[in-house]
Amino acid sequence: MSDFLNSSSYFGVTVCIIGYALGVFLKKKLKLGLLNPLLVSIIFAILVIRIFGVDYENFSQSAKCLSYLLTPATVCLAVPLYQQLSILKQHFSAVLLGILAGVFSSLGSVLGMAALFGLDHTYYVTLLPKSITTAIGIGLSEELGGIPTITVAVIVVTGILGNVIGERICRLFHIEEPVAVGLAFGTSSHAIGTSKALELGEIQGAMSSLSIAVSGLLTVIGASVFTNFL
Amino acid sequence: MKLLFEFGIILFITFLGEALYAVLPLPIPASVYGLLLMLLALCTGVIKLEKVKRASDFLIEIMPPMFIPAAVGLVAVWDSLMPMLFPISVIIAATTILVMAVTGRTAQFVIRRKKGRNPENE
């Protein structure tokens, strides 16, 4: 059984999709913010490969068609960006300054805290892309010499955290303008935070998806400078 | 067939992004080049929105499950992550809250200042 699963070409992708479906089902049934479908599917997949004794390498091979689509999907983020060009133009300075401030506070605070904890360069650059979308984050982490698998985990945890506590943070800091709320979600917690912003309203959702691409690009540029600091 | 052609256009632009990544000596992933190329193509009208819309909506919608294989890779690096678990958790929590607050407050400050200056614009 284990030999067969290790050599299967479709086992991994099936486990991923079943896990995600399970996550969506649980979220609907239990209505808990913490039960993010992505989080559930990751835990499900880890449990399945542990229980059936499937090597991560073999699992990854048979789930490759999913990761394969990550780059084209990121390219597609240009489409909502293009559709929201008018909102972007109307609030251009607020969007740009908000995301710029967010990106640099992200890079700066990661630098400061990495130095505080005495992390080495590898871990520092592994954490640098933590607030941007995984598709860009994986590539950036690789480019800078980080550990992409840890970067992915950090990005996913960041996203889920933003999704779960974002509303409370916005209330705590009196962030009320829909545009500002959207930018805060997208810049701090990328696509996973954006799914929450979409629930809050159209403007929030639109601005949040816009931030995914813009903060991703600004982080790529900023991180290539920040990588030299530690 | 229309959907296949839409996918074809998206994959072709992704391929061009890959080519740029191979040629240019910058630390920018192929996906970002592709994103910029797609935006440029849409803005200049080289590609009409409806030529990529359906496939693009689908790809963006199914994006979250694409992260699963990479995240499961955590089991492969768990041993090297364990000693760093505490600092990494603290950094994630603190910086996420900070980034959210700074982004939102900055954007809101700019929006409200603009509103105060020329209320007729709003």
Side-chain angles (χ1 to χ4, degrees), chain A residues 97-120:
Chain A
L97 289 172
I99 298 177
L100 257 178
V103 166
F104 281 94
S105 67
S106 173
L107 296 172
S109 61
V110 170
L111 171 66
M113 294 193 73
L116 193 73
F117 282 109
L119 300 189
D120 62 16

Side-chain angles (χ1 to χ4, degrees), chain A residues 50-96:
Chain A
R50 276 282 159 93
I51 290 168
F52 291 100
V54 177
D55 276 349
Y56 170 65
E57 287 307 320
N58 296 330
F59 165 80
S60 172
Q61 273 298 322
S62 63
K64 216 169 189 173
C65 71
L66 279 175
S67 10
Y68 173 80
L69 289 174
L70 210 47
T71 308
T74 312
V75 171
C76 289
L77 288 176
V79 173
L81 190 61
Y82 169 72
Q83 288 179 295
Q84 291 145 20
L85 233 45
S86 65
I87 307 172
L88 175 65
K89 278 175 189 157
Q90 194 192 336
H91 292 286
F92 188 75
S93 51
V95 170
L96 195 69

Side-chain angles (χ1 to χ4, degrees), chain A residues 15-16 19-20 23 36-49 59 152-153 156-157 160 192, chain B residues 64-65 67-75:
Chain A
V15 169
C16 289
Y20 200 77
N36 186 287
L38 185 55
L39 184 65
V40 171
S41 56
I42 291 164
I43 295 168
F44 176 78
I46 290 176
L47 285 177
V48 168
I49 67 170
F59 165 80
V152 172
V156 170
V157 175
I160 292 167
I192 308 178
Chain B
F67 305 143
I68 302 170
V72 173
L74 192 61
V75 295

Side-chain angles (χ1 to χ4, degrees), chain B residues 14-80:
Chain B
T14 308
F15 166 72
L16 290 181
E18 225 182 0
L20 276 183
Y21 173 74
V23 172
L24 300 174
L26 299 170
I28 296 175
S31 56
V32 178
Y33 284 125
L35 193 158
L36 291 173
L37 285 174
M38 178 68 92
L39 189 63
L40 193 72
L42 287 167
C43 287
T44 54
V46 173
I47 294 172
K48 296 268 180 299
L49 182 62
E50 67 267 19
K51 296 284 182 215
V52 289
K53 182 85 174 85
R54 266 208 306 164
S56 152
D57 282 350
F58 173 67
L59 280 176
I60 291 176
E61 198 194 335
I62 64 161
M63 226 172 150
M66 295 177 198
F67 305 143
I68 302 170
V72 173
L74 192 61
V75 295
V77 289
W78 187 249
D79 291 338
S80 64

Side-chain angles (χ1 to χ4, degrees), chain A residues 22-37:
Chain A
L22 181 73
V24 171
F25 173 78
L26 284 179
K27 193 187 172 192
K28 257 190 202 149
K29 282 279 163 196
L30 302 171
K31 298 194 189 308
L32 276 173
L34 204 66
L35 274 175
N36 186 287

Side-chain angles (χ1 to χ4, degrees), chain A residues 123 130 143 173-174 176 217, chain B residues 21 32 80 95 105 108:
Chain A
Y123 277 99
K130 62 170 278 295
E143 277 296 323
F173 289 94
H174 304 290
E176 292 136 4
L217 291 174
Chain B
Y21 173 74
V32 178
S80 64
T95 61
R105 290 298 299 188
Q108 181 160 291

